Amino acid sequence: MEYIMPFVPDAIKNIPTHMDFEGQKKAEKSFQVIIILFAVVGFLWGYITEYFSQTLYVLFAGVVFSSLLTLGPWPMYRKHPLSWQPARDENGEVQTSSASSGSSQSKSKKKKLKD
């Protein structure tokens, strides 16, 4: 995958691909409500027309619609980002950049935690 990344345009690299926890909750609730509504409407329509296939077509349309609405990381699902605490080094001081932490520091942290 790393050999492909230099050829990917910056516009595609900058597309956000995350969804916060509140957005996940909203997407799950929307997915369930849409599926239930389409299932009820599909059942009624299939009962009226006396074709079970019509019920399945309406339900399938609901699945496609809810998938388009909830699977993508739309901006409405990214309104509550998490605020992470700043990283600390071995001495308990806040680090100013993430580049200063190396694998040797993480090994010594694990060693201190074991002791």
Side-chain angles (χ1 to χ4, degrees), residues 7-57:
F7 301 109
V8 177
D10 288 334
I12 293 177
K13 288 180 187 177
N14 294 332
I15 294 174
T17 58
H18 65 282
M19 185 185 299
D20 58 42
F21 292 121
E22 292 295 321
Q24 289 176 3
K25 183 178 176 182
K26 184 188 291 186
E28 178 68 23
K29 189 70 169 175
S30 300
F31 183 79
Q32 291 175 353
V33 167
I34 291 169
I35 293 296
I36 296 297
L37 287 175
F38 273 79
V40 169
V41 170
F43 176 77
L44 293 174
W45 180 249
Y47 186 78
I48 291 169
T49 61
E50 297 180 0
Y51 285 106
F52 184 67
S53 62
Q54 296 294 314
T55 300
L56 294 179
Y57 292 148

Side-chain angles (χ1 to χ4, degrees), residues 23-103:
Q24 289 176 3
K25 183 178 176 182
K26 184 188 291 186
E28 178 68 23
K29 189 70 169 175
S30 300
F31 183 79
Q32 291 175 353
V33 167
I34 291 169
I35 293 296
I36 296 297
L37 287 175
F38 273 79
V40 169
V41 170
F43 176 77
L44 293 174
W45 180 249
Y47 186 78
I48 291 169
T49 61
E50 297 180 0
Y51 285 106
F52 184 67
S53 62
Q54 296 294 314
T55 300
L56 294 179
Y57 292 148
V58 172
L59 183 59
F60 180 69
V63 169
V64 170
F65 176 68
S66 62
S67 296
L68 290 173
L69 188 66
T70 60
L71 288 181
W74 302 107
M76 62 185 167
Y77 301 131
R78 293 185 278 122
K79 290 185 177 180
H80 305 285
L82 292 176
S83 56
W84 296 94
Q85 292 184 353
R88 297 184 181 267
D89 63 1
E90 295 174 351
N91 301 328
E93 297 175 4
V94 176
Q95 294 180 355
T96 56
S97 67
S98 61
S100 64
S101 64
S103 61

